[in-house]
Amino acid sequence: MADIVIDHVVKDFGTFQALQDVSLVVEDGEFVALLGPSGCGKTTLLRIIAGLETQTAGRVVIGGRDVSGLTPRKRGLAMVFQNYAVFPHMTVFENVAFGLRMQKASTADVKRKVERAAALLHIDSYLDRYPAKLSGGQRQRVAVARALAVEPAVLLMDEPLSNLDALLRLEMRTELKAVLREAGTTTIYVTHDQTEAMGLADRIAVMYGGKIEQIGSPLEIYATPATRFVGGFIGSPPMNFIKVRCEQGIVRIGNITLPCPAGCEDMELGLRGEDAMIAADGSGIPFDVRVVEPMGSHLLLTGSINGQLARIVAPPTATINAGERVALKADPSRLTWIDSNTGRAVGRA
Amino acid sequence: MIAKRPGGLRRAILSERERPMPARTSWIPYALIAPSVAFLGALFIIPLVQTVWLSFSAGEGVSLANYQRMANDLNFGLAIRNTFLLTLVVVPLQVILALVMATMVSKLDKGRDMVLWVLTIPLGVSDLAAGLAWLSILQNTGYLNSALYALGVIPGPVGWLSQETPWTLFFGIVLAEMWRATAIVLVILIAGLQLIPKEFSEAAEIFGASPWTRFRKITLPLLKPSLQSALILRTVLAFEVFAVVYALGGRNFPVLAGEAYTWQNENQNYGVAAAYAVLIMAISLAATAVYLRALRTRPEQLP
Ligand SMILES: Nc1ncnc2c1ncn2[C@@H]1O[C@H](COP(=O)(O)OP(=O)(O)OP(=O)(O)O)[C@@H](O)[C@H]1O
Ligand SMILES: [Mg+2]
């Protein structure tokens, strides 16, 4: 059992609060992705879990054991550093073997496990080279192999594939997922690449400004964002937000009305570009198309709704010209209503 | 970015690169190093050549007479033994002490600069002054004896620095040298430690390395270039040790540089003094060569 409980963790750097009351539970064997923009506190949270940084308040519990006061090496986890931290004075082999050597593994064991980790990350042909002679992406894979070689119960990865080309990243991503699932490794995976998070994670925790905005499965995060930030951060194109006024449970846009949840007047209607369909009968949300970009798999339409910028995805075969006004329809259950004042979704359980 | 731009800019950059360097610039580097060459030549190479020449010239032509005279001198064997003994004891002790101190100082969050500043004060004291300061502590009527007497440990003045107590004299010199010159090693090592990113040690810690293992497997190997510089500097200076020894022991503890001084000033024999000087230089050069080889860092192992 190696579940991770992060319990109301706060981290202050002087007067700057890098983490504001972060709580997160990662089940045993679960793969959680920490997703968020640069500087939102992902690395800080990871370093606190690892014990490299001491939290200002709160607890970290791993496998039922409160590790808040323990040194990193007593916490029994492995980590891939954002800047690799591959030892420059050791060969790739010795780098990958480092954790095993610290565990006093037998020579045969070390060799076997290093070779397996190296093969998985396609670095087996550089084992006797020094890191200075490797490319950034190769060095990064050495860092991942070093963490995988010890077969940890808990694995923390800080943007471990950020430096790989798209093709290799996709391949590594799939292999990593398979290996970690098979080993039942509890994983926290930091990334600011949303497709990576969506593809890999059992659950995604979206962070913003030192807080966790939402935790949920990739689908939940995508379909039902809890805040304006999450909706705008996840998805490509990001969710469209259209300012509306809700009066007596009704919102008017163009010539149609939509039922809206009660609770406030100033709202934003969150509409995913993919959820909008072009109504054949011409009745719906009016959308003035300004630019049409054929993307192959779809058409990306940029234009405005009620004078506000919006991006809509249309089927590749649709015939729509710039300057045209079309009507949009959407399944009401796929709409998100945001309270303009708080930025949080309303009308959802 | 450049490759994407067609036409003018790209061509301009290429032709800039391909154009051979104009001939008139070729003398500039020489002109720039000329002052230092002149300086070195006047103040280092010429005296060096003169000294070497002096050491090989005794009366009529070139000979080894000065070296023979040096080697046959009663104090020669002692001076060699003492100088090496002192170097072999002082340098390792200083490096170990400086490593410990540097590790502690680099762990400080606040007041680091202040601590470093205080620790380097002895560097500002000339070696003769340092020797005299320790003499005032260790001599018969010095502070040490006064303190011990006041505490009732000794009945009267005890000679620590006399010919009859060679080991306490040696120990006193070691102590004074440690006090005087450990800080230079410290400064070099702290500068070296600051160059090592803390992630390496952190990664080692995550993977289960104890503090001692981290020091041995991560810090020490990455500190090797600085250790090399510190060792070369300190060892060369240790072979030249003179003023502290002279202040504390006079000729009771002969060392090579001290013998050179004696032959030069008391015996007025410049030839033998020069032979000593050349010997010290040869030993220093040999020690430097050993360090350069033994503590070599291959370029691919640098961070
Ligand atoms: N040691 C420190 N001292 C002061 N501020 C720090 C320190 N470490 C991090 N911060 C601040 O805390 C905030 C969060 O930093 P963190 O490194 O966790 O961001 P991140 O989410 O990992 O970003 P990125 O995606 O760019 O890696 C940043 O604003 C950063 O400036
Ligand atoms: Mg980071």
Side-chain angles (χ1 to χ4, degrees), chain A residues 1-7 24 26-28 45-51 59-68 70-72 74-78 152-156 186 188:
Chain A
M1 273 297 281
D3 56 328
I4 305 170
V5 179
I6 297 156
D7 185 15
L24 173 67
V26 183
E27 304 294 340
D28 182 40
L45 182 58
L46 225 54
R47 287 173 60 83
I48 286 173
I49 300 171
R59 294 185 313 149
V60 177
V61 181
I62 298 177
R65 192 167 57 126
D66 187 343
V67 298
S68 307
L70 295 184
T71 58
K74 302 249 166 67
R75 299 193 181 195
L77 40 76
V154 172
L155 177 58
L156 309 175
T186 310
I188 299 185

mmCIF file of all heavy atoms in Angstrom, chain A residues 1-7 24 26-28 45-51 59-68 70-72 74-78 152-156 186 188:
data_model
loop_
_atom_site.group_PDB
_atom_site.id
_atom_site.type_symbol
_atom_site.label_atom_id
_atom_site.label_comp_id
_atom_site.label_asym_id
_atom_site.label_seq_id
_atom_site.Cartn_x
_atom_site.Cartn_y
_atom_site.Cartn_z
ATOM 1 N N MET A 1 0.832 -1.214 0.000
ATOM 2 C CA MET A 1 0.000 0.000 0.000
ATOM 3 C C MET A 1 0.861 1.256 0.000
ATOM 4 O O MET A 1 1.682 1.453 0.862
ATOM 5 C CB MET A 1 -0.883 0.012 1.266
ATOM 6 C CG MET A 1 -2.197 -0.728 1.125
ATOM 7 S SD MET A 1 -3.238 0.018 -0.119
ATOM 8 C CE MET A 1 -3.891 1.418 0.792
ATOM 9 N N ALA A 2 0.682 2.063 -0.980
ATOM 10 C CA ALA A 2 1.441 3.311 -1.010
ATOM 11 C C ALA A 2 0.548 4.420 -1.541
ATOM 12 O O ALA A 2 0.777 4.966 -2.614
ATOM 13 C CB ALA A 2 2.683 3.153 -1.875
ATOM 14 N N ASP A 3 -0.503 4.708 -0.817
ATOM 15 C CA ASP A 3 -1.323 5.839 -1.218
ATOM 16 C C ASP A 3 -0.697 7.118 -0.663
ATOM 17 O O ASP A 3 0.076 7.079 0.293
ATOM 18 C CB ASP A 3 -2.762 5.683 -0.718
ATOM 19 C CG ASP A 3 -2.826 5.495 0.776
ATOM 20 O OD1 ASP A 3 -1.859 4.897 1.323
ATOM 21 O OD2 ASP A 3 -3.799 5.928 1.407
ATOM 22 N N ILE A 4 -1.007 8.227 -1.296
ATOM 23 C CA ILE A 4 -0.440 9.505 -0.848
ATOM 24 C C ILE A 4 -1.591 10.409 -0.421
ATOM 25 O O ILE A 4 -2.554 10.590 -1.172
ATOM 26 C CB ILE A 4 0.332 10.194 -1.991
ATOM 27 C CG1 ILE A 4 1.397 9.245 -2.563
ATOM 28 C CG2 ILE A 4 0.970 11.484 -1.506
ATOM 29 C CD1 ILE A 4 2.029 9.766 -3.837
ATOM 30 N N VAL A 5 -1.476 10.941 0.780
ATOM 31 C CA VAL A 5 -2.467 11.904 1.240
ATOM 32 C C VAL A 5 -1.757 13.225 1.482
ATOM 33 O O VAL A 5 -0.832 13.304 2.285
ATOM 34 C CB VAL A 5 -3.156 11.424 2.541
ATOM 35 C CG1 VAL A 5 -4.169 12.471 2.998
ATOM 36 C CG2 VAL A 5 -3.823 10.080 2.336
ATOM 37 N N ILE A 6 -2.168 14.233 0.745
ATOM 38 C CA ILE A 6 -1.623 15.573 0.963
ATOM 39 C C ILE A 6 -2.723 16.346 1.677
ATOM 40 O O ILE A 6 -3.819 16.523 1.146
ATOM 41 C CB ILE A 6 -1.246 16.229 -0.373
ATOM 42 C CG1 ILE A 6 -0.137 15.404 -1.033
ATOM 43 C CG2 ILE A 6 -0.774 17.656 -0.164
ATOM 44 C CD1 ILE A 6 -0.088 15.574 -2.520
ATOM 45 N N ASP A 7 -2.399 16.762 2.889
ATOM 46 C CA ASP A 7 -3.441 17.233 3.791
ATOM 47 C C ASP A 7 -3.223 18.710 4.117
ATOM 48 O O ASP A 7 -2.368 19.046 4.930
ATOM 49 C CB ASP A 7 -3.389 16.361 5.061
ATOM 50 C CG ASP A 7 -4.512 16.698 6.016
ATOM 51 O OD1 ASP A 7 -5.464 17.372 5.581
ATOM 52 O OD2 ASP A 7 -4.425 16.293 7.194
ATOM 53 N N LEU A 24 -4.940 16.681 -1.509
ATOM 54 C CA LEU A 24 -5.036 15.766 -2.644
ATOM 55 C C LEU A 24 -4.824 14.353 -2.123
ATOM 56 O O LEU A 24 -3.940 14.120 -1.298
ATOM 57 C CB LEU A 24 -3.942 16.126 -3.660
ATOM 58 C CG LEU A 24 -3.721 15.225 -4.872
ATOM 59 C CD1 LEU A 24 -4.912 15.287 -5.803
ATOM 60 C CD2 LEU A 24 -2.466 15.660 -5.616
ATOM 61 N N VAL A 26 -4.074 10.517 -3.460
ATOM 62 C CA VAL A 26 -3.746 9.662 -4.592
ATOM 63 C C VAL A 26 -3.826 8.223 -4.098
ATOM 64 O O VAL A 26 -3.126 7.847 -3.151
ATOM 65 C CB VAL A 26 -2.330 9.963 -5.125
ATOM 66 C CG1 VAL A 26 -2.040 9.104 -6.346
ATOM 67 C CG2 VAL A 26 -2.193 11.436 -5.472
ATOM 68 N N GLU A 27 -4.708 7.441 -4.725
ATOM 69 C CA GLU A 27 -4.896 6.059 -4.264
ATOM 70 C C GLU A 27 -3.676 5.213 -4.600
ATOM 71 O O GLU A 27 -2.890 5.554 -5.476
ATOM 72 C CB GLU A 27 -6.131 5.443 -4.942
ATOM 73 C CG GLU A 27 -7.426 6.202 -4.761
ATOM 74 C CD GLU A 27 -7.888 6.213 -3.313
ATOM 75 O OE1 GLU A 27 -7.426 5.346 -2.537
ATOM 76 O OE2 GLU A 27 -8.692 7.092 -2.959
ATOM 77 N N ASP A 28 -3.578 4.085 -3.932
ATOM 78 C CA ASP A 28 -2.491 3.148 -4.209
ATOM 79 C C ASP A 28 -2.562 2.708 -5.674
ATOM 80 O O ASP A 28 -3.613 2.284 -6.153
ATOM 81 C CB ASP A 28 -2.639 1.935 -3.279
ATOM 82 C CG ASP A 28 -1.504 0.951 -3.486
ATOM 83 O OD1 ASP A 28 -0.359 1.409 -3.670
ATOM 84 O OD2 ASP A 28 -1.769 -0.261 -3.466
ATOM 85 N N LEU A 45 5.047 21.501 -4.938
ATOM 86 C CA LEU A 45 4.264 20.447 -4.310
ATOM 87 C C LEU A 45 5.009 19.113 -4.367
ATOM 88 O O LEU A 45 5.083 18.374 -3.373
ATOM 89 C CB LEU A 45 2.897 20.327 -5.002
ATOM 90 C CG LEU A 45 1.952 19.284 -4.417
ATOM 91 C CD1 LEU A 45 1.681 19.561 -2.947
ATOM 92 C CD2 LEU A 45 0.631 19.242 -5.186
ATOM 93 N N LEU A 46 5.606 18.826 -5.501
ATOM 94 C CA LEU A 46 6.348 17.578 -5.658
ATOM 95 C C LEU A 46 7.527 17.524 -4.689
ATOM 96 O O LEU A 46 7.797 16.492 -4.069
ATOM 97 C CB LEU A 46 6.850 17.479 -7.105
ATOM 98 C CG LEU A 46 6.659 16.146 -7.793
ATOM 99 C CD1 LEU A 46 5.208 15.723 -7.728
ATOM 100 C CD2 LEU A 46 7.110 16.226 -9.240
ATOM 101 N N ARG A 47 8.212 18.645 -4.552
ATOM 102 C CA ARG A 47 9.381 18.678 -3.659
ATOM 103 C C ARG A 47 8.960 18.521 -2.203
ATOM 104 O O ARG A 47 9.714 17.986 -1.396
ATOM 105 C CB ARG A 47 10.159 19.988 -3.865
ATOM 106 C CG ARG A 47 10.917 20.008 -5.186
ATOM 107 C CD ARG A 47 11.545 21.368 -5.443
ATOM 108 N NE ARG A 47 12.491 21.750 -4.405
ATOM 109 C CZ ARG A 47 13.758 21.357 -4.372
ATOM 110 N NH1 ARG A 47 14.238 20.610 -5.326
ATOM 111 N NH2 ARG A 47 14.552 21.729 -3.400
ATOM 112 N N ILE A 48 7.765 18.991 -1.883
ATOM 113 C CA ILE A 48 7.285 18.814 -0.516
ATOM 114 C C ILE A 48 6.940 17.338 -0.266
ATOM 115 O O ILE A 48 7.270 16.778 0.779
ATOM 116 C CB ILE A 48 6.082 19.732 -0.241
ATOM 117 C CG1 ILE A 48 6.577 21.172 -0.099
ATOM 118 C CG2 ILE A 48 5.334 19.301 1.020
ATOM 119 C CD1 ILE A 48 5.490 22.200 0.020
ATOM 120 N N ILE A 49 6.320 16.709 -1.256
ATOM 121 C CA ILE A 49 6.015 15.284 -1.100
ATOM 122 C C ILE A 49 7.314 14.490 -0.947
ATOM 123 O O ILE A 49 7.421 13.573 -0.145
ATOM 124 C CB ILE A 49 5.211 14.760 -2.310
ATOM 125 C CG1 ILE A 49 3.890 15.518 -2.432
ATOM 126 C CG2 ILE A 49 4.946 13.265 -2.179
ATOM 127 C CD1 ILE A 49 3.140 15.232 -3.712
ATOM 128 N N ALA A 50 8.336 14.878 -1.724
ATOM 129 C CA ALA A 50 9.608 14.156 -1.673
ATOM 130 C C ALA A 50 10.392 14.461 -0.406
ATOM 131 O O ALA A 50 11.288 13.700 -0.033
ATOM 132 C CB ALA A 50 10.451 14.505 -2.896
ATOM 133 N N GLY A 51 10.086 15.576 0.236
ATOM 134 C CA GLY A 51 10.815 15.934 1.449
ATOM 135 C C GLY A 51 11.991 16.848 1.188
ATOM 136 O O GLY A 51 12.807 17.082 2.072
ATOM 137 N N ARG A 59 0.215 18.285 6.279
ATOM 138 C CA ARG A 59 0.885 16.993 6.435
ATOM 139 C C ARG A 59 0.974 16.275 5.094
ATOM 140 O O ARG A 59 0.166 16.500 4.206
ATOM 141 C CB ARG A 59 0.074 16.072 7.355
ATOM 142 C CG ARG A 59 -0.048 16.499 8.789
ATOM 143 C CD ARG A 59 -0.773 15.420 9.570
ATOM 144 N NE ARG A 59 -1.988 14.960 8.876
ATOM 145 C CZ ARG A 59 -2.469 13.716 8.974
ATOM 146 N NH1 ARG A 59 -1.859 12.818 9.710
ATOM 147 N NH2 ARG A 59 -3.574 13.388 8.320
ATOM 148 N N VAL A 60 1.958 15.384 5.009
ATOM 149 C CA VAL A 60 2.029 14.461 3.881
ATOM 150 C C VAL A 60 2.045 13.050 4.463
ATOM 151 O O VAL A 60 2.861 12.744 5.341
ATOM 152 C CB VAL A 60 3.302 14.687 3.036
ATOM 153 C CG1 VAL A 60 3.382 13.657 1.920
ATOM 154 C CG2 VAL A 60 3.323 16.091 2.458
ATOM 155 N N VAL A 61 1.118 12.208 4.035
ATOM 156 C CA VAL A 61 1.039 10.837 4.533
ATOM 157 C C VAL A 61 1.225 9.898 3.350
ATOM 158 O O VAL A 61 0.524 10.015 2.342
ATOM 159 C CB VAL A 61 -0.320 10.581 5.219
ATOM 160 C CG1 VAL A 61 -0.387 9.155 5.744
ATOM 161 C CG2 VAL A 61 -0.559 11.588 6.335
ATOM 162 N N ILE A 62 2.199 9.021 3.452
ATOM 163 C CA ILE A 62 2.431 8.047 2.368
ATOM 164 C C ILE A 62 2.266 6.648 2.947
ATOM 165 O O ILE A 62 2.917 6.288 3.933
ATOM 166 C CB ILE A 62 3.837 8.209 1.765
ATOM 167 C CG1 ILE A 62 3.993 9.599 1.138
ATOM 168 C CG2 ILE A 62 4.082 7.125 0.710
ATOM 169 C CD1 ILE A 62 5.372 9.877 0.589
ATOM 170 N N GLY A 63 1.382 5.865 2.359
ATOM 171 C CA GLY A 63 1.152 4.502 2.828
ATOM 172 C C GLY A 63 0.747 4.458 4.288
ATOM 173 O O GLY A 63 1.196 3.588 5.041
ATOM 174 N N GLY A 64 -0.062 5.424 4.700
ATOM 175 C CA GLY A 64 -0.540 5.426 6.075
ATOM 176 C C GLY A 64 0.468 5.958 7.085
ATOM 177 O O GLY A 64 0.174 6.053 8.275
ATOM 178 N N ARG A 65 1.651 6.331 6.625
ATOM 179 C CA ARG A 65 2.697 6.800 7.523
ATOM 180 C C ARG A 65 2.874 8.300 7.329
ATOM 181 O O ARG A 65 3.083 8.745 6.191
ATOM 182 C CB ARG A 65 3.997 6.063 7.179
ATOM 183 C CG ARG A 65 5.117 6.207 8.177
ATOM 184 C CD ARG A 65 6.206 5.182 7.857
ATOM 185 N NE ARG A 65 6.689 5.355 6.475
ATOM 186 C CZ ARG A 65 7.981 5.527 6.167
ATOM 187 N NH1 ARG A 65 8.898 5.509 7.102
ATOM 188 N NH2 ARG A 65 8.347 5.681 4.912
ATOM 189 N N ASP A 66 2.786 9.055 8.412
ATOM 190 C CA ASP A 66 3.008 10.499 8.301
ATOM 191 C C ASP A 66 4.495 10.741 8.067
ATOM 192 O O ASP A 66 5.325 10.489 8.940
ATOM 193 C CB ASP A 66 2.555 11.199 9.589
ATOM 194 C CG ASP A 66 2.597 12.717 9.453
ATOM 195 O OD1 ASP A 66 3.267 13.214 8.525
ATOM 196 O OD2 ASP A 66 1.956 13.399 10.274
ATOM 197 N N VAL A 67 4.836 11.210 6.861
ATOM 198 C CA VAL A 67 6.248 11.393 6.531
ATOM 199 C C VAL A 67 6.673 12.859 6.627
ATOM 200 O O VAL A 67 7.797 13.195 6.264
ATOM 201 C CB VAL A 67 6.566 10.865 5.107
ATOM 202 C CG1 VAL A 67 6.312 9.382 5.010
ATOM 203 C CG2 VAL A 67 5.763 11.623 4.058
ATOM 204 N N SER A 68 5.771 13.705 7.145
ATOM 205 C CA SER A 68 6.046 15.151 7.140
ATOM 206 C C SER A 68 7.418 15.500 7.702
ATOM 207 O O SER A 68 8.064 16.417 7.223
ATOM 208 C CB SER A 68 4.973 15.886 7.938
ATOM 209 O OG SER A 68 3.710 15.543 7.464
ATOM 210 N N LEU A 70 10.056 13.374 7.927
ATOM 211 C CA LEU A 70 11.124 12.454 7.526
ATOM 212 C C LEU A 70 12.002 13.044 6.425
ATOM 213 O O LEU A 70 11.548 13.842 5.617
ATOM 214 C CB LEU A 70 10.531 11.132 7.026
ATOM 215 C CG LEU A 70 9.773 10.281 8.043
ATOM 216 C CD1 LEU A 70 9.339 8.969 7.402
ATOM 217 C CD2 LEU A 70 10.626 10.010 9.267
ATOM 218 N N THR A 71 13.277 12.622 6.406
ATOM 219 C CA THR A 71 14.167 13.046 5.328
ATOM 220 C C THR A 71 13.772 12.303 4.050
ATOM 221 O O THR A 71 13.131 11.253 4.107
ATOM 222 C CB THR A 71 15.631 12.720 5.664
ATOM 223 O OG1 THR A 71 15.724 11.315 5.879
ATOM 224 C CG2 THR A 71 16.096 13.471 6.896
ATOM 225 N N PRO A 72 14.157 12.853 2.890
ATOM 226 C CA PRO A 72 13.745 12.232 1.622
ATOM 227 C C PRO A 72 14.056 10.736 1.543
ATOM 228 O O PRO A 72 13.248 9.958 1.063
ATOM 229 C CB PRO A 72 14.559 13.006 0.586
ATOM 230 C CG PRO A 72 14.763 14.338 1.198
ATOM 231 C CD PRO A 72 14.891 14.104 2.670
ATOM 232 N N LYS A 74 14.122 8.501 3.728
ATOM 233 C CA LYS A 74 13.291 7.636 4.559
ATOM 234 C C LYS A 74 11.877 7.523 3.989
ATOM 235 O O LYS A 74 11.047 6.812 4.518
ATOM 236 C CB LYS A 74 13.206 8.214 5.980
ATOM 237 C CG LYS A 74 14.564 8.381 6.657
ATOM 238 C CD LYS A 74 14.723 7.405 7.810
ATOM 239 C CE LYS A 74 16.156 7.296 8.299
ATOM 240 N NZ LYS A 74 16.648 8.511 8.931
ATOM 241 N N ARG A 75 11.581 8.255 2.922
ATOM 242 C CA ARG A 75 10.211 8.258 2.403
ATOM 243 C C ARG A 75 9.980 7.173 1.365
ATOM 244 O O ARG A 75 8.848 6.935 0.957
ATOM 245 C CB ARG A 75 9.871 9.624 1.803
ATOM 246 C CG ARG A 75 9.967 10.724 2.841
ATOM 247 C CD ARG A 75 9.352 12.023 2.374
ATOM 248 N NE ARG A 75 9.506 13.029 3.426
ATOM 249 C CZ ARG A 75 8.854 14.174 3.468
ATOM 250 N NH1 ARG A 75 8.002 14.470 2.504
ATOM 251 N NH2 ARG A 75 9.040 15.025 4.447
ATOM 252 N N GLY A 76 11.051 6.559 0.894
ATOM 253 C CA GLY A 76 10.920 5.429 -0.009
ATOM 254 C C GLY A 76 10.233 5.752 -1.312
ATOM 255 O O GLY A 76 9.292 5.074 -1.711
ATOM 256 N N LEU A 77 10.686 6.805 -1.979
ATOM 257 C CA LEU A 77 10.100 7.105 -3.283
ATOM 258 C C LEU A 77 11.203 7.446 -4.276
ATOM 259 O O LEU A 77 12.363 7.586 -3.915
ATOM 260 C CB LEU A 77 9.096 8.249 -3.169
ATOM 261 C CG LEU A 77 9.413 9.444 -2.273
ATOM 262 C CD1 LEU A 77 10.415 10.356 -2.929
ATOM 263 C CD2 LEU A 77 8.142 10.203 -1.958
ATOM 264 N N ALA A 78 10.821 7.546 -5.515
ATOM 265 C CA ALA A 78 11.775 7.940 -6.547
ATOM 266 C C ALA A 78 11.233 9.177 -7.235
ATOM 267 O O ALA A 78 10.031 9.438 -7.196
ATOM 268 C CB ALA A 78 11.967 6.823 -7.560
ATOM 269 N N PRO A 152 10.094 1.807 -7.732
ATOM 270 C CA PRO A 152 9.590 2.440 -6.516
ATOM 271 C C PRO A 152 8.089 2.189 -6.324
ATOM 272 O O PRO A 152 7.385 1.924 -7.298
ATOM 273 C CB PRO A 152 9.842 3.925 -6.771
ATOM 274 C CG PRO A 152 9.721 4.057 -8.252
ATOM 275 C CD PRO A 152 10.240 2.781 -8.840
ATOM 276 N N ALA A 153 7.654 2.263 -5.082
ATOM 277 C CA ALA A 153 6.216 2.165 -4.814
ATOM 278 C C ALA A 153 5.545 3.492 -5.158
ATOM 279 O O ALA A 153 4.400 3.526 -5.579
ATOM 280 C CB ALA A 153 5.982 1.809 -3.351
ATOM 281 N N VAL A 154 6.293 4.584 -4.956
ATOM 282 C CA VAL A 154 5.775 5.909 -5.272
ATOM 283 C C VAL A 154 6.754 6.593 -6.214
ATOM 284 O O VAL A 154 7.957 6.625 -5.959
ATOM 285 C CB VAL A 154 5.612 6.763 -3.988
ATOM 286 C CG1 VAL A 154 5.264 8.190 -4.356
ATOM 287 C CG2 VAL A 154 4.555 6.166 -3.086
ATOM 288 N N LEU A 155 6.231 7.110 -7.288
ATOM 289 C CA LEU A 155 7.089 7.751 -8.272
ATOM 290 C C LEU A 155 6.591 9.168 -8.540
ATOM 291 O O LEU A 155 5.419 9.385 -8.837
ATOM 292 C CB LEU A 155 7.071 6.931 -9.575
ATOM 293 C CG LEU A 155 7.862 7.484 -10.756
ATOM 294 C CD1 LEU A 155 9.322 7.677 -10.400
ATOM 295 C CD2 LEU A 155 7.748 6.536 -11.950
ATOM 296 N N LEU A 156 7.492 10.130 -8.377
ATOM 297 C CA LEU A 156 7.157 11.525 -8.656
ATOM 298 C C LEU A 156 7.907 11.937 -9.910
ATOM 299 O O LEU A 156 9.118 11.788 -9.987
ATOM 300 C CB LEU A 156 7.584 12.420 -7.487
ATOM 301 C CG LEU A 156 7.124 11.980 -6.095
ATOM 302 C CD1 LEU A 156 7.716 12.901 -5.036
ATOM 303 C CD2 LEU A 156 5.610 11.977 -6.006
ATOM 304 N N THR A 186 2.287 3.972 -7.630
ATOM 305 C CA THR A 186 1.536 5.197 -7.374
ATOM 306 C C THR A 186 2.332 6.353 -7.965
ATOM 307 O O THR A 186 3.479 6.563 -7.597
ATOM 308 C CB THR A 186 1.360 5.416 -5.863
ATOM 309 O OG1 THR A 186 0.874 4.210 -5.285
ATOM 310 C CG2 THR A 186 0.416 6.558 -5.582
ATOM 311 N N ILE A 188 2.686 10.426 -9.345
ATOM 312 C CA ILE A 188 2.265 11.809 -9.557
ATOM 313 C C ILE A 188 3.132 12.365 -10.666
ATOM 314 O O ILE A 188 4.359 12.292 -10.613
ATOM 315 C CB ILE A 188 2.401 12.662 -8.285
ATOM 316 C CG1 ILE A 188 1.524 12.082 -7.173
ATOM 317 C CG2 ILE A 188 1.983 14.102 -8.579
ATOM 318 C CD1 ILE A 188 1.508 12.916 -5.920
#
